[in-house]
C-alpha cells in the first residue's frame, strides 16, 4: 500500500504540469482534490523516503519508482534506516503488519525522531490509543484506512479526525490539507471518528473481495446462459462499475437506479425476486457485520504482541 500511496502522490504532483489535465469520471469528495498551483505550497511534499527491511525489496522498489515520471526517480529507498528516515521527514506513514508496530516504533531514538511530527497509521485494528503508548505525547497520531483500489487511484480512504492542537505552533489546517492531498491522490477521502474504523475496514477494506464474489457470480450466470467467459466477465465488471459511478453522482441513490431499470413484469424484477428468495441482501449485510466484528479483534494486545 505504501507503493500505491507514493505513486499516487507523485502522479498527482506531475499532473500539475499538464496544460490540459484530464478530468476524472467524477469529482472527488469536496475539498479533497489535489490543487494545481504555481506558488510554493507547504502541504505539498518535495521528497519521499521509503524504508524496507531487505535489500531485494529495496531493489524492486527502486525499479518501480524509477519507472515513474516526475519525482519518481528521486524517491530514496533505504534498508533498515527507519529512525534516520523519520528524522528527515515531516510526515510519517506507518505501513507494516499490525504485529510489527511495537517493534518499529520501539527502535532506539524513534520516539525522539517522531517528536512533534504527524504519524499516519494504516494498520488495521491498531487503535490510536495503542499507538500513542509507543510515542511521545507531542506526536500527532491519526489512522487512515485505504483499500486495494488505491493501487489504480480509485480507492476509498477513511481518515480519523485530527487530534486537538497541543501547542500554539500546531497548524491543524495544514495537517488536514497534507492528509487530504496524500489520500485524495489515490481516490476518495473522508474524515470519520475512530469508533467507525472497524466498520470502515469491513465495508471499504474488505469490500473489494465481497464485490468480486458478486462480480464472479454475475459472470457465472452469463456463462450458464451461453456467454463466453471473457465477455461475461467484461459485461459484469463494466456493469458494476457503471452502476457504482451512477450511485456516486449527486442526488443519486441505489434504490432509484434499481427502480429505473425495473419495468413491470420484466426480466429485472424476476431476477430481483430470485435474489430476495436467496436472501442476498441480508447475507451481504451480515458479511459486513461479521467482518466488522473480526476487524475489532485484529488490534487486540495479544495479536499486536505476536
Amino acid at each position: 500500500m505504501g507503493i500505491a500511496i507514493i505513486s499516487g502522490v507523485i502522479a498527482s504532483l506531475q499532473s500539475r504540469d499538464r496544460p490540459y489535465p484530464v478530468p476524472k469520471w467524477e469529482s472527488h469528495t469536496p475539498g479533497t482534490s489535489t490543487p494545481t498551483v504555481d506558488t510554493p505550497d507547504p502541504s505539498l511534499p518535495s521528497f519521499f523516503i521509503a524504508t524496507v527491511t531487505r535489500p531485494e525489496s529495496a531493489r524492486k522498489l527502486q525499479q518501480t519508482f524509477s519507472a515513474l515520471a516526475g519525482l519518481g526517480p528521486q524517491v530514496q529507498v533505504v534498508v533498515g534506516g527507519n529512525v534516520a528516515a523519520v528524522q528527515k521527514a515531516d510526515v510519517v506513514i506507518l505501513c507494516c503488519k499490525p504485529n510489527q508496530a511495537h517493534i518499529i516504533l520501539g527502535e532506539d531514538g524513534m520516539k525522539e525522531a517522531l517528536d512533534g511530527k504527524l504519524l499516519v497509521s494504516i494498520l488495521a485494528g491498531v487503535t490510536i490509543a495503542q499507538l500513542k503508548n509507543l510515542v511521545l505525547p507531542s506526536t500527532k497520531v491519526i489512522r487512515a484506512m485505504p483499500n486495494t483500489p488505491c493501487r489504480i487511484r480509485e480507492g476509498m480512504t477513511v481518515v480519523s479526525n485530527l487530534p486537538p492542537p497541543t501547542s500554539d505552533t500546531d497548524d491543524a489546517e495544514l495537517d488536514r490539507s497534507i492528509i487530504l492531498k496524500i489520500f485524495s491522490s489515490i481516490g476518495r477521502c473522508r474524515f470519520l471518528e475512530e469508533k467507525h474504523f472497524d466498520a470502515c475496514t469491513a465495508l471499504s477494506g474488505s469490500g473489494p473481495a465481497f464485490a468480486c464474489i458478486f462480480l464472479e457470480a454475475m459472470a457465472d450466470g452469463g456463462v450458464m446462459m451461453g456467454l463466453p467467459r471473457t465477455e461475461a466477465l467484461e459485461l459484469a465488471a463494466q456493469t458494476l462499475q457503471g452502476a457504482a459511478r451512477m450511485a456516486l453522482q449527486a442526488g443519486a441513490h441505489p434504490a432509484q437506479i434499481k427502480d429505473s431499470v425495473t419495468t413491470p413484469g420484466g426480466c429485472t424484477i424476476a431476477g430481483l425476486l430470485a435474489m430476495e428468495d436467496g436472501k442476498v441482501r441480508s447475507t451481504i449485510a451480515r458479511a459486513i457485520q461479521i467482518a466488522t466484528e473480526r476487524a475489532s479483534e485484529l488490534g487486540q494486545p495479544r495479536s499486536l504482541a505476536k
Side-chain angles (χ1 to χ4, degrees):
M1 189 59 70
I3 297 175
I5 293 172
I6 293 178
S7 300
V9 174
I10 289 175
S12 183
L13 291 171
Q14 185 185 0
S15 68
R16 295 184 304 147
D17 301 325
R18 295 174 184 169
Y20 303 103
V22 179
K24 289 176 65 67
W25 54 264
E26 50 86 19
S27 298
H28 279 298
T29 305
T32 66
S33 56
T34 302
T36 58
V37 293
D38 297 324
T39 56
D41 185 340
S43 65
L44 293 177
S46 58
F47 73 98
F48 304 85
I49 306 174
T51 64
V52 293
T53 57
R54 298 179 299 172
E56 53 267 32
S57 299
R59 286 191 293 269
K60 290 180 181 179
L61 277 185
Q62 199 65 67
Q63 292 174 355
T64 299
F65 293 133
S66 296
L68 299 176
L71 295 174
Q74 301 177 32
V75 176
Q76 299 178 34
V77 181
V78 297
V79 179
N82 291 329
V83 174
V86 170
Q87 289 172 341
K88 298 177 183 178
D90 297 311
V91 179
V92 179
I93 301 179
L94 185 62
C95 307
C96 65
K97 294 180 180 180
N99 58 10
Q100 295 177 332
H102 72 289
I103 299 175
I104 295 174
L105 297 179
E107 292 184 20
D108 290 339
M110 182 61 77
K111 285 187 177 182
E112 293 73 19
L114 283 168
D115 184 18
K117 296 182 178 180
L118 181 62
L119 175 63
V120 183
S121 166
I122 65 169
L123 310 185
V126 181
T127 66
I128 292 177
Q130 288 174 308
L131 293 170
K132 281 187 173 180
N133 287 332
L134 301 173
V135 298
L136 296 175
S138 58
T139 302
K140 295 170 285 188
V141 181
I142 65 166
R143 290 178 64 187
M145 182 52 61
N147 63 2
T148 303
C150 289
R151 295 176 183 174
I152 60 169
R153 301 184 67 191
E154 292 292 354
M156 181 71 235
T157 302
V158 178
V159 182
S160 64
N161 292 329
L162 289 166
T166 57
S167 68
D168 295 336
T169 59
D170 279 355
D171 191 339
E173 285 303 314
L174 176 59
D175 290 339
R176 180 182 177 88
S177 180
I178 290 172
I179 293 166
L180 290 176
K181 287 172 183 174
I182 290 173
F183 292 107
S184 67
S185 69
I186 52 176
R188 284 176 166 252
C189 180
R190 283 286 184 184
F191 282 90
L192 281 175
E193 293 182 39
E194 189 189 15
K195 66 180 182 181
H196 297 302
F197 261 61
D198 291 334
C200 292
T201 299
L203 183 55
S204 65
S206 303
F210 303 151
C212 283
I213 289 290
F214 196 84
L215 172 59
E216 282 187 317
M218 289 181 64
D220 286 345
V223 172
M224 175 66 184
M225 301 314 297
L227 287 176
R229 170 66 65 178
T230 301
E231 283 74 11
L233 184 59
E234 180 183 10
L235 265 64
Q238 181 60 35
T239 298
L240 289 180
Q241 179 178 234
R245 290 179 174 179
M246 290 179 69
L248 286 171
Q249 299 301 309
H253 189 279
Q256 293 175 319
I257 300 171
K258 172 179 65 69
D259 290 347
S260 68
V261 182
T262 308
T263 56
C267 60
T268 303
I269 188 61
L272 287 172
L273 289 177
M275 294 175 70
E276 293 295 347
D277 290 341
K279 300 182 179 180
V280 171
R281 185 190 299 265
S282 62
T283 299
I284 294 173
R286 282 277 293 148
I288 302 299
Q289 177 190 357
I290 297 300
T292 300
E293 293 170 355
R294 176 55 183 156
S296 67
E297 300 171 356
L298 294 179
Q300 296 303 312
R302 186 176 64 177
S303 297
L304 188 60
K306 285 181 179 179

